Amino acid sequence: MSRPAPRKPEYHKINKDLFVLTYGALVAQLCKDYEKDEDVNTYLDKMGYGIGTRLVEDFLARSCVGRCHSYSEITDIIAQVAFKMYLGITPSVTCNNSSRNEFSLILDKNPLVEFVEELPAGRSSLCYCNLLCGIIRGALEMVHLAADVTFLQDRLRGDSVTEIGITFLKKLDEKKYRRKK
Amino acid sequence: MADEALFLLLHNELVSGVYKSAEQGEVENGRCITKLENMGFRVGQGLIERFTKDTARFKDELDIMKFICKDFWTTVFKKQIDNLRTNHQGIYVLQDNKFRLLTQMSAGKQYLEHASKYLAFTCGLIRGGLSNLGIKSIVTAEVSSMPACKFQVMIQKS
């Protein structure tokens, strides 16, 4: 692979590494502090929630997306715009049920686990990337959408893909949005 | 990629998370700062490895410090260190007049007492980076007026 300009692309990648490495250090510290995997998962989710509530403003300011008219549109935007903007990946979206309020994001590549070979011993139910679930949940709540976001499958835990499930819980506000039939 | 916002928010959550789970008191405060600093240390070690993969060998200590002030700081905080001072006997003072992690917090003396919490991670970052370049050091930070801050690096001669 040839390198056109000497340093710039490198710096970009290293900047991403900063976030990934910091996240890794955080998870390592949490594993030291909490014995149970559920506690670490909950903590990561709560932290992600705090981040998501603030990140959504940054996202809306940068992306200038318009009003969404359906849950699937929202999920598409999360996958194609938000993930691309912050993590540089575009997960694929699938809809899991006929009432169109359960979706899955399938992550082909996950930059957060770039430096993780495997989960530490005795931590088999650790959701390493649970921060992402919290972020999505927090962001959605700031735009008045309640959702349940969890990891349905995780490559680190032995599954074949990494899959995040988003279940929208409440109807969209009728005043602002038209419900997609 | 808008990584900066992500890292900023993660860092702030990190600090508030560490302090939330600790009790009040001087001892606990010190422990939290140590925790944050150790996390920064780990990250600094990893980061400097990624960074210096392709760079030339450093001539001396001053060269390393200049690298930290210019390239390292620019990549991590999008700007260079504004002022580097040294007494040529192992003490370096890095001054950043608009420290990225403090700009959103205040522009003056407000919240000054909380500033040290938000600098601990970066102190560890510098210490970790230097450690993997073969330099043992102690890094402390001081803030007199946000968002300007000074990082003091004391090289430990073994």
Side-chain angles (χ1 to χ4, degrees):
Chain A
M1 196 166 60
S2 68
R3 283 183 200 211
R7 307 290 281 270
K8 261 202 160 156
E10 276 282 342
Y11 284 8
H12 219 48
K13 189 168 188 305
I14 290 166
N15 215 314
K16 187 160 70 125
D17 289 344
L18 173 64
F19 178 73
V20 175
L21 286 170
T22 307
Y23 186 66
L26 165 67
V27 179
Q29 183 68 41
L30 288 177
C31 286
K32 248 194 267 175
D33 289 341
Y34 297 103
E35 270 185 36
K36 296 219 284 236
D37 293 344
E38 297 82 53
D39 293 337
V40 180
N41 292 343
T42 311
Y43 191 98
L44 284 173
D45 188 74
K46 268 205 292 218
M47 230 191 199
Y49 179 82
I51 295 178
T53 54
R54 295 174 184 95
L55 195 67
V56 69
E57 285 180 23
D58 183 80
F59 170 68
L60 291 173
R62 271 185 229 265
S63 63
C64 311
V65 289
R67 288 251 168 87
C68 288
H69 301 289
S70 69
Y71 292 134
S72 72
E73 222 178 300
I74 295 172
T75 318
D76 283 333
I77 290 197
I78 295 179
Q80 286 155 16
V81 189
F83 264 84
K84 183 98 181 83
M85 191 185 282
Y86 292 110
L87 291 175
I89 53 169
T90 315
S92 46
V93 181
T94 58
C95 183
N96 290 347
N97 71 347
S98 53
S99 53
R100 303 192 66 77
N101 69 334
E102 278 178 31
F103 297 87
S104 286
L105 296 171
I106 309 229
L107 276 73
D108 204 27
K109 275 192 314 166
N110 189 352
L112 282 184
V113 305
E114 201 178 317
F115 304 120
V116 182
E117 278 175 42
E118 54 177 18
L119 290 177
R123 291 280 181 187
S124 49
S125 53
L126 179 70
C127 268
Y128 186 82
C129 303
N130 220 25
L131 195 89
L132 289 179
C133 293
I135 293 182
I136 298 175
R137 189 169 63 90
L140 286 174
E141 194 158 312
M142 282 295 115
V143 290
H144 306 294
L145 293 165
D148 246 338
V149 189
T150 49
F151 267 91
L152 298 174
Q153 293 190 78
D154 193 353
R155 265 216 189 101
L156 279 182
R157 286 190 290 184
D159 301 311
S160 48
V161 288
T162 305
E163 185 181 344
I164 300 179
I166 306 179
T167 307
F168 292 93
L169 298 174
K170 280 204 279 225
K171 239 166 69 162
L172 289 171
D173 191 9
E174 286 279 315
K175 260 197 294 175
K176 291 187 194 161
Y177 307 98
R178 268 179 289 117
R179 184 119 192 271
K180 186 173 175 179
K181 285 281 173 245
Chain B
M1 255 195 293
D3 283 318
E4 212 193 325
L6 259 183
F7 174 69
L8 231 83
L9 289 172
L10 179 64
H11 178 259
N12 289 348
E13 280 297 323
L14 214 68
V15 176
S16 70
V18 166
Y19 274 83
K20 225 187 288 189
S21 45
E23 297 118 29
Q24 291 295 316
E26 269 307 307
V27 178
E28 276 302 319
N29 190 27
R31 248 185 236 144
C32 293
I33 302 253
T34 310
K35 241 192 220 178
L36 289 166
E37 217 256 351
N38 285 337
M39 277 199 252
F41 184 76
R42 277 180 80 133
V43 177
Q45 285 184 311
L47 213 61
I48 209 85
E49 271 179 22
R50 312 279 299 162
F51 223 126
T52 52
K53 209 167 39 135
D54 296 320
T55 50
R57 225 182 136 125
F58 295 109
K59 289 191 292 249
D60 57 15
E61 207 173 81
L62 185 60
D63 210 28
I64 295 181
M65 291 312 296
K66 285 206 219 155
F67 172 79
I68 299 266
C69 294
K70 292 218 222 72
D71 299 320
F72 188 77
W73 218 255
T74 310
T75 303
V76 178
F77 298 113
K78 303 284 193 309
K79 64 183 286 287
Q80 292 188 5
I81 284 277
D82 296 305
N83 198 337
L84 170 68
R85 284 205 294 269
T86 174
N87 67 355
H88 293 290
Q89 280 166 11
I91 300 201
Y92 297 85
V93 179
L94 287 71
Q95 185 167 340
D96 190 333
N97 292 330
K98 233 180 137 189
F99 189 51
R100 233 13 194 259
L101 301 180
L102 294 178
T103 41
Q104 308 283 335
M105 216 173 292
S106 111
K109 307 272 184 192
Q110 199 184 18
Y111 302 124
L112 202 59
E113 63 277 11
H114 298 289
S116 58
K117 302 180 193 171
Y118 292 88
L119 296 170
F121 186 85
T122 311
C123 290
L125 205 68
I126 302 174
R127 189 168 68 91
L130 288 174
S131 143
N132 262 15
L133 287 173
I135 299 182
K136 258 182 84 174
S137 59
I138 296 183
V139 184
T140 52
E142 65 170 87
V143 186
S144 49
S145 167
M146 307 228 245
C149 65
K150 292 201 190 122
F151 294 93
Q152 188 179 54
V153 180
M154 282 179 279
I155 312 283
Q156 312 275 287
K157 299 271 190 248
S158 47

